[in-house]
Every structure is written in structure tokens, then in C-alpha cells.
Amino acid sequence: MFVKRLLVTALTAVVVGGLGGCSGHRGDDSAPDRPSASVGGAPAPSATPETVTGLRDGTRHLSERTTRATRPRTVRRCTTGTRRVRHTSRSGSGSHRTTRTWYTTERHQDCHRVRSGTERYTKVLRPERWCVRLDDVDGDRKKDDVWYRVTRADYDTTLAADDHARLEFVPQGPQDTGC
């Protein structure tokens, strides 16, 4: 019994020590915590999305494409029933021990989902997309005619801008995907 407690205590100490080493605390309480990637006392830059700049070359709006489809319809069905439950109680001790047994009937309900016909729904084949084509992407004259997916607000701003106007926005995904 003592050996078992000793092993559990040792294992707990190892786990706590391992977790303490992963916490990032350096153990020196006198020095304040500072960001590790600071330059000249400035805080480390946060993870901001990459903006893209370029000259407006074109826009494209791809509307949502849907179709009507059917799928199995499921409903919740419940069955009620009864079951016989055995109960026992013991009293006394030694040779005077007695056991009393009795039975009761308890009601129960089993519920599960079963298929019941079909239902029609609207299936989205292609989500709605707004795309902008840029020239001179990030100042590189060799990068022309690159498509980017953008938000609706950025698309509206692009529509209001003149042709070959300088634009800056955050793309919604990798370039040239789905436009």
C-alpha cells in the first residue's frame, strides 16, 4: 500500500513539473514579462491579415447557384413500455441475516429517429462570390491580371473606383480561386 502511494506521488510530481515547464513562466518573478519579438521596446506585431494593393483592372460577380434536391426525412418516434424491476433489501447479520425481495413494474420510453419519407430543400451548388482583378500587384509590374476574392463591401468600393485606380484590400482567400 505504501509503495503504491509513493508511486502515485512521484508520478504526480513529474506531471506537475512537466506542466510547469510548459507554462512559459521563466521562474524569475523580479523581471517583468516582455514580448520576445520586440524591436526597440516596441511590442511585437499582431497577426494581421495581408493586404493587397494594385491597380483596378476588372470586377466579376458570381451569383449563388442553387438547385432543389430531396433528402430522407427523419422523425422522432418513441415507444413506451414496462419492465419488471427486482429489488432486494438485507437485514441482520451472521446466521440471522435475511434477504427480502420484491418486484415492481416501471414504465420507460425509448426514443429514436426513424426515416419517414423525403423532404425537399435548397442545395447550394456554388456560393455567391465577389472578385476583383488587379494589375501591378504589390508594386510588381510583372504581376498583372490576378483575381482575388473580396468581401461585398470591398467589391462595392471597387465598382465606385475609376479604371486603373489604386486599390488596397484584404483578400478573402488565395488568389485565382473560384473567380
Side-chain angles (χ1 to χ4, degrees):
M1 186 69 164
F2 176 73
V3 174
K4 195 175 198 181
R5 281 187 186 168
L6 186 62
L7 285 174
V8 169
T9 304
L11 181 62
T12 304
V14 168
V15 169
V16 169
L19 291 176
C22 294
S23 69
H25 185 68
R26 291 181 290 233
D28 182 15
D29 292 334
S30 62
D33 288 337
R34 280 174 274 201
S36 61
S38 63
V39 178
S46 62
T48 58
E50 287 289 322
T51 60
V52 174
T53 59
L55 303 178
R56 178 186 186 259
D57 192 29
T59 58
R60 181 182 295 163
H61 174 247
L62 299 172
S63 60
E64 180 180 61
R65 186 175 292 164
T66 61
T67 186
R68 297 289 290 165
T70 58
R71 62 183 169 206
R73 178 176 169 256
T74 58
V75 294
R76 186 173 182 231
R77 288 261 167 85
C78 297
T79 57
T80 58
T82 58
R83 66 171 70 111
R84 192 172 175 212
V85 180
R86 178 181 173 178
H87 305 278
T88 57
S89 100
R90 297 179 184 195
S91 62
S93 64
S95 62
H96 298 289
R97 188 167 189 93
T98 58
T99 302
R100 185 177 142 245
T101 304
W102 71 97
Y103 296 89
T104 59
T105 303
E106 293 182 355
R107 296 180 58 83
H108 66 90
Q109 188 175 36
D110 292 327
C111 296
H112 53 281
R113 298 193 71 81
V114 296
R115 185 174 171 176
S116 175
T118 59
E119 64 181 357
R120 292 185 59 82
Y121 71 103
T122 303
K123 182 178 182 179
V124 177
L125 299 175
R126 180 183 69 197
E128 189 172 20
R129 294 186 190 134
W130 298 276
C131 303
V132 174
R133 187 171 62 190
L134 295 180
D135 284 341
D136 298 342
V137 176
D138 291 331
D140 187 359
R141 293 192 182 272
K142 295 176 185 172
K143 286 188 178 177
D144 284 345
D145 299 328
V146 180
W147 285 99
Y148 292 96
R149 275 187 27 222
V150 295
T151 62
R152 174 71 188 260
D154 288 338
Y155 180 79
D156 291 340
T157 304
T158 302
L159 281 179
D162 293 331
D163 202 23
H164 292 289
R166 180 153 305 277
L167 300 173
E168 182 175 352
F169 55 81
V170 177
Q172 292 299 300
Q175 64 188 26
D176 292 331
T177 55
C179 287

